[in-house]
């Protein structure tokens, strides 16, 4: 799945190499992650899958992430929530940024 996001902030989003040049493990890098929510909004599952930025994204720039999404094991109606995370710092949603919610029916 491909998800695009625009950096509307005033600092660059670092990829793993730029976030910590001496230890490019992804600490402090900006990544895309997802969670599954039930119809009532409760958390149905969080997956450790993250998508890295291939290059850092400057303010005003756009990034396209490629991420593999794994469906919940139980059939039902869900919302697939995408959000950006600065590793070891915060989820962007926690700072007031909008998240992407996609309605999904798992059969």
């Amino acid at each position: 799945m491909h998800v695009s996001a625009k950096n509307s902030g005033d600092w660059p989003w670092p990829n793993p190499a730029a976030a910590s040049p001496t230890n490019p493990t992804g600490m402090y890098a900006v990544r895309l992650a997802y969670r599954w929510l039930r119809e009532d909004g409760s958390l149905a599952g969080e997956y450790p899958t993250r998508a890295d930025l291939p290059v850092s994204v400057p303010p005003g720039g756009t990034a396209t992430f490629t991420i593999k999404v794994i469906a919940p094991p139980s059939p039902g109606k869900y919302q697939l929530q995408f959000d950006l995370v600065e590793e070891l710092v915060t989820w962007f949603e926690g700072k007031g940024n909008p998240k992407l919610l996609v309605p999904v029916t798992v059969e």
Side-chain angles (χ1 to χ4, degrees):
M1 176 172 277
H2 302 285
V3 177
S4 294
K6 182 176 181 178
N7 182 348
S8 60
D10 56 5
W11 60 276
W13 293 343
N15 68 346
S20 181
T22 59
N23 184 13
T25 60
M27 294 185 305
Y28 310 112
V30 171
R31 292 181 163 142
L32 178 70
Y34 70 92
R35 302 173 181 156
W36 285 102
L37 304 175
R38 294 181 187 88
E39 279 190 286
D40 65 4
S42 65
L43 186 65
E46 189 167 342
Y47 295 83
T49 302
R50 300 275 203 268
D52 286 334
L53 289 168
V55 296
S56 294
V57 179
T62 300
T64 299
F65 296 88
T66 301
I67 191 165
K68 182 178 180 178
V69 175
I70 300 168
S74 301
K77 291 185 178 185
Y78 296 90
Q79 288 191 350
L80 177 56
Q81 175 189 333
F82 290 100
D83 196 4
L84 297 175
V85 59
E86 183 179 5
E87 296 292 356
L88 302 178
V89 179
T90 189
W91 290 84
F92 280 39
E93 174 189 19
K95 295 293 184 176
N97 291 293
K99 58 192 176 283
L100 174 62
L101 289 170
V102 180
V104 175
T105 300
V106 175
E107 297 179 347

